[in-house]
Amino acid sequence: MRVAIASDHGGFEQKEQLVTYLKDELGCEVTDFGTTSEESVDYPDYAEPVARAVASGEADRGILVCGTGIGMALAADKVPGVRASSITRPDFAQLFRQHNNGNVICLSGRFITLEENEEIVKVFLTTEFEGGRHAQRVAKIAKLDEAK
Ligand code: RB5
């Protein structure tokens, strides 16, 4: 699976460790859009390239890490075709895939442990969309993109 990933300074440390986890444990092809240090940066600048890579099909899924995951989700969701959410529990990651066909997950580097985030990422990357009644709801989200 092709995964695009990025963080701001609040998520930098965990992002670095998640890149290793994605490559070594999950066998993913990873594109890392930064940041490259703990120097303060603006999270929308890092959410955008990941969101655009997913929306264009260049990446299958996106992973963003900031202090809470919230700012990244707000920014990434502005890109048409992206369904991004802050996720702090593995069961929410499962439902985000099964029901929402989520394609960008936004993690907290400050309030959730690396081990918990690794589990969330694994569930996010291995759970399929259920389709069925959920497909019409996701299609209605896409219509909101068209109305922009
Ligand atoms: C940066 O201090 C912090 O605001 C950011 O990482 C994120 O939590 C925003 O939602």
Side-chain angles (χ1 to χ4, degrees):
M1 182 171 291
R2 298 163 306 156
V3 176
I5 190 168
S7 74
D8 71 354
H9 52 288
F12 171 69
E13 191 181 329
Q14 283 211 24
K15 187 263 291 176
E16 293 292 286
Q17 291 168 304
L18 287 169
V19 168
T20 301
Y21 175 72
L22 286 162
K23 288 179 180 170
D24 295 354
E25 302 296 325
L26 302 184
C28 295
E29 185 186 314
V30 179
T31 304
D32 183 351
F33 287 96
T35 187
T36 56
S37 77
E38 289 186 349
E39 186 181 333
S40 183
V41 293
D42 297 334
Y43 57 80
D45 295 337
Y46 295 87
E48 182 178 2
V50 167
R52 294 211 183 280
V54 171
S56 70
E58 187 188 315
D60 301 306
R61 303 272 168 83
I63 298 173
L64 292 164
V65 195
C66 66
T68 59
I70 295 170
M72 287 294 200
L74 291 170
D77 257 330
K78 297 293 183 196
V79 175
V82 166
R83 292 173 297 282
S85 181
S86 161
I87 298 287
T88 55
R89 300 165 40 149
D91 53 357
F92 278 25
Q94 184 180 348
L95 290 165
F96 180 52
R97 287 291 309 136
Q98 289 176 330
H99 291 188
N100 311 118
N101 201 12
N103 52 17
V104 176
I105 202 167
C106 304
L107 304 173
S108 166
R110 289 191 176 141
F111 296 92
I112 304 294
T113 67
L114 175 66
E115 292 69 28
E116 288 171 314
N117 275 331
E118 286 177 346
E119 182 60 24
I120 288 167
V121 163
K122 184 161 77 176
V123 171
F124 172 61
L125 296 181
T126 57
T127 305
E128 293 300 321
F129 179 47
E130 277 180 3
R133 69 186 189 281
H134 302 294
Q136 73 199 39
R137 296 164 185 167
V138 172
K140 287 184 179 184
I141 297 175
K143 279 205 171 245
L144 294 173
D145 279 341
E146 286 166 22
K148 272 182 187 170

